[in-house]
Amino acid sequence: MIRALGFILILLALMQPATAQTPPAGFRVGIVGLTESGCTATPSDAAAAAAAYRKHLEGRLGKPVVLCGYEDGRAVATALQDSQLDLAVLDQPSFEAVSKIARPILAPRADAITGRVLAVALTLKTSGRDTPVKLAGIRPIFISKLAASHQVPLQGLADFGADTKSFKPELFVADEHAGLAALRAGQGDALIITAGARQRLCRGDDPKVVLCGDVVEAWRGRPTALAGLVVRNDLPEADRYQLVGIHIALHQERLEAMPFLAAKLGGGVALDPTEATAMQKGVR
């Protein structure tokens, strides 16, 4: 009798209509400055662009998406910490409060070319200048006046504690090889180049030949990201990669959606993947 009753209960459960199943959970995006506070699937703030972003994200994720408005970055960070959000748009100061439990996954790119380029500052080993702080008062050597080879590394150095305002007049040379020659000749105190240029400079065909044995990296890093898309560290890796993939192409796949997100990030023409420490000043 008991077995028969159990069998009947199983049959009844299987016969329940699909509408009785739990609907998929909504994906919640926290943003400062939406017209509405709380979460909504139909935000009126920048209506067309906001809706385009939400619908694009919804279509790619395959689940309902809601945009959640907050009055300031601190409130967004708190909601992310309390697991009330799946994705947060945060500026750098607001991120500090959640830096131990969350990480940025994307940061805005200022223009079509300039990004957070990885750069290095090379000094002679004999100089004793082996940290950013010890670069105070130097004459820097650069190989280009383009932002990626000049302003971006300078900002990165400043974020890592270098007193860039004390730098002497800059020396510009033709390429990284001329830069290393100028450094060795004492025409400047530090050669500041991209990590790619450093690799070209110091990597020879014969691994037994040391090309840069007399220099040291006094610094290697990128500028701090001033804003970014942030997720909790416990978000599954596959979900994090999916979000990165969706947003990398946002400026191409949904032209009308990028201005909405860019405005909330303080500007930018596109989004670039970024390292976990990107929004922590002075951390590699």
Side-chain angles (χ1 to χ4, degrees), residues 140-245:
I141 305 168
F142 293 96
I143 66 173
S144 173
K145 293 184 179 181
L146 295 176
S149 298
H150 184 231
Q151 293 98 317
V152 173
L154 276 176
Q155 184 58 58
L157 275 165
D159 289 346
F160 278 74
D163 183 7
T164 55
K165 293 182 179 180
S166 72
F167 285 4
K168 296 174 182 177
E170 301 162 344
L171 173 65
F172 288 93
V173 296
D175 56 32
E176 56 269 20
H177 297 283
L180 182 57
L183 179 66
R184 287 170 172 164
Q187 298 172 10
D189 304 299
L191 173 60
I192 301 172
I193 53 178
T194 65
R198 189 249 193 269
Q199 185 177 26
R200 292 193 300 271
L201 180 65
C202 299
R203 184 186 64 185
D205 295 330
D206 186 350
K208 296 180 181 179
V209 178
V210 180
L211 299 178
C212 297
D214 57 339
V215 301
V216 64
E217 286 188 6
W219 168 76
R220 172 182 284 259
R222 309 173 192 268
T224 305
L226 301 181
L229 299 187
V230 178
V231 298
R232 289 177 55 90
N233 292 334
D234 56 12
L235 181 74
E237 192 174 72
D239 293 344
R240 188 171 79 237
Y241 289 153
Q242 183 183 23
L243 288 172
V244 170

Side-chain angles (χ1 to χ4, degrees), residues 92-108:
Q92 193 274 331
S94 301
F95 172 75
E96 291 292 341
V98 292
S99 61
K100 292 183 179 180
I101 61 96
R103 57 153 294 168
I105 57 172
L106 295 124

Side-chain angles (χ1 to χ4, degrees), residues 29-278:
V29 184
I31 303 174
V32 173
L34 293 180
T35 301
E36 300 87 353
S37 60
C39 301
T40 175
T42 56
S44 60
D45 184 81
Y53 172 64
R54 185 188 63 78
K55 290 178 180 177
H56 180 68
L57 199 56
E58 193 169 74
R60 294 293 299 276
L61 291 175
K63 64 175 70 174
V65 171
V66 291
L67 303 185
C68 304
Y70 296 87
E71 62 180 11
D72 56 34
R74 181 179 296 182
V76 176
T78 299
L80 182 68
Q81 187 165 15
D82 294 342
S83 298
Q84 296 174 8
L85 295 173
D86 302 291
L87 180 67
V89 179
L90 289 174
D91 59 16
Q92 193 274 331
S94 301
F95 172 75
E96 291 292 341
V98 292
S99 61
K100 292 183 179 180
I101 61 96
R103 57 153 294 168
I105 57 172
L106 295 124
R109 190 193 316 155
D111 54 50
I113 299 175
T114 306
R116 295 177 54 255
V117 179
L118 181 64
V120 299
L122 300 178
T123 60
L124 294 177
K125 287 182 178 179
T126 55
S127 71
R129 299 185 181 98
D130 56 2
T131 67
V133 174
K134 293 180 181 179
L135 297 179
I138 65 163
R139 185 182 189 191
I141 305 168
F142 293 96
I143 66 173
S144 173
K145 293 184 179 181
L146 295 176
S149 298
H150 184 231
Q151 293 98 317
V152 173
L154 276 176
Q155 184 58 58
L157 275 165
D159 289 346
F160 278 74
D163 183 7
T164 55
K165 293 182 179 180
S166 72
F167 285 4
K168 296 174 182 177
E170 301 162 344
L171 173 65
F172 288 93
V173 296
D175 56 32
E176 56 269 20
H177 297 283
L180 182 57
L183 179 66
R184 287 170 172 164
Q187 298 172 10
D189 304 299
L191 173 60
I192 301 172
I193 53 178
T194 65
R198 189 249 193 269
Q199 185 177 26
R200 292 193 300 271
L201 180 65
C202 299
R203 184 186 64 185
D205 295 330
D206 186 350
K208 296 180 181 179
V209 178
V210 180
L211 299 178
C212 297
D214 57 339
V215 301
V216 64
E217 286 188 6
W219 168 76
R220 172 182 284 259
R222 309 173 192 268
T224 305
L226 301 181
L229 299 187
V230 178
V231 298
R232 289 177 55 90
N233 292 334
D234 56 12
L235 181 74
E237 192 174 72
D239 293 344
R240 188 171 79 237
Y241 289 153
Q242 183 183 23
L243 288 172
V244 170
I246 291 170
H247 287 87
I248 284 178
L250 185 66
H251 65 292
Q252 296 173 326
E253 293 184 349
R254 276 298 176 95
L255 292 176
E256 67 275 31
M258 188 63 206
F260 164 74
L261 203 54
K264 304 305 180 184
L265 287 164
V269 299
L271 293 165
D272 291 330
T274 196
E275 71 276 21
T277 58

